[in-house]
Amino acid sequence: MGGRIDCYVDICSFYSYIIFLDILQNRSLLKSHSVTVEFHPILLGAINAGSGNKPPWALPAKAIYGLYEGRRVLGRFPLVPIQFPADLMSVSLTVLPLRALHFIKRTYPDPEVFTTTLHYFFHSFWAPPNVNMTRPENVAKALSEVPAVFNGISVGSAASDRRLFSKQEVEAIMNGAGFQEMKDLLKETTQRALDQGAFGAPWLWATNDAGVSEPFFGSDRFHFVYKFLGLPYQDVALLPPTDENKAKL
């Protein structure tokens, strides 16, 4: 029992946000089972190009089905404000915020700084009014707003009004995002996912306590992941009718 989950995500990926929220609410349990989780920012557009996959909006049937599936998935997190950007395709090239995340991950020793920033970037992209994170000024503004403690609902409901980064730190992060090292790091991380067989996001690479690794795709494969890692879990099960249901019949 135990192991590791490497989770490759892009903030423009709806299901990356969903899996992030899922792992966030279960990370204490995962830790109790000696499972380490690490998030890796990747560029979804490069994953699609490198694997030959196409985004959902490029296939009409998939886009139509996505409306149903998206509504169902949102029911898992009813308190989290999520709406799709009006033109998701035009704001999906999230290179700059991804490089900024890599800079934060590389620079700040406390992993919570990276996780909180990733959380707020997801929130900024997917919560109304859907911030366009392809624009440098918006990325800088989002960085200046990241709360020291963030629960994913809104900044005002955060446990602290204190901001995570000072003005000088925001400037350093924005400058750092332009370093060649960060450009290379985003490319290398994206390529690592491609080498593992990734064709979309979120992409999971799970390693069990025997050192064996397997890939998992999507935000709804945790029952397979838990089984592979040897963790106790409750699978989906059909229940017998209740007295109330019998009365309706």
Side-chain angles (χ1 to χ4, degrees):
M1 185 177 69
R4 177 183 177 88
I5 300 174
D6 288 286
C7 187
Y8 296 84
V9 297
D10 189 340
I11 63 170
C12 74
S13 163
F14 169 65
Y15 289 103
S16 288
Y17 190 15
I18 295 302
I19 203 170
F20 176 84
L21 293 172
D22 201 314
I23 289 176
L24 208 62
Q25 71 179 9
N26 286 299
R27 62 178 176 171
S28 294
L29 268 175
L30 288 165
K31 185 177 180 179
S32 72
H33 289 296
S34 301
V35 176
T36 301
V37 180
E38 184 174 355
F39 292 99
H40 305 277
I42 58 171
L43 186 61
L44 180 55
I47 293 288
N48 285 332
S51 65
N53 196 7
K54 294 182 179 181
W57 55 78
L59 182 62
K62 186 184 288 188
I64 292 172
Y65 176 76
L67 297 176
Y68 294 99
E69 190 68 4
R71 186 176 66 249
R72 294 163 185 158
V73 171
L74 286 176
R76 292 167 55 189
F77 302 97
L79 298 180
V80 180
I82 298 177
Q83 77 173 10
F84 279 72
D87 188 358
L88 180 58
M89 187 174 181
S90 69
V91 297
S92 62
L93 194 62
T94 50
V95 176
L96 180 58
L98 295 173
R99 290 175 181 169
L101 286 167
H102 273 290
F103 179 83
I104 293 167
K105 189 177 182 183
R106 177 65 61 91
T107 305
Y108 290 83
D110 183 357
E112 284 302 302
V113 176
F114 166 76
T115 302
T116 302
T117 308
L118 176 58
H119 195 177
Y120 193 70
F121 276 14
F122 270 127
H123 170 82
S124 298
F125 190 95
W126 288 102
N130 301 108
V131 177
N132 183 345
M133 296 292 281
T134 67
R135 297 178 179 173
E137 64 272 20
N138 290 347
V139 177
K141 185 174 184 295
L143 285 168
S144 70
E145 295 173 343
V146 180
V149 179
F150 183 57
N151 64 9
I153 306 302
S154 69
V155 178
S157 62
S160 172
D161 290 331
R162 184 170 58 86
R163 295 296 174 250
L164 194 59
F165 302 113
S166 67
K167 180 180 179 180
Q168 292 74 23
E169 287 177 304
V170 171
E171 292 175 355
I173 294 168
M174 292 299 294
N175 288 333
F179 292 169
Q180 188 61 47
E181 180 185 3
M182 296 307 116
K183 297 177 182 179
D184 293 340
L185 196 53
L186 177 57
K187 289 179 181 179
E188 290 166 7
T189 307
T190 302
Q191 187 59 52
R192 182 163 71 247
L194 281 169
D195 291 343
Q196 293 170 353
F199 51 87
W203 179 256
L204 298 179
W205 189 255
T207 305
N208 62 23
D209 57 2
V212 179
S213 299
E214 285 190 7
F216 299 85
F217 173 71
S219 64
D220 56 353
R221 296 295 186 267
F222 278 112
H223 52 309
F224 296 136
V225 175
Y226 296 158
K227 183 176 182 179
F228 175 72
L229 294 177
L231 308 181
Y233 68 98
Q234 183 173 331
D235 205 348
V236 175
L238 183 64
L239 301 177
T242 62
D243 291 338
E244 181 181 354
N245 288 336
K246 288 179 180 178
K248 291 180 180 180
L249 294 176

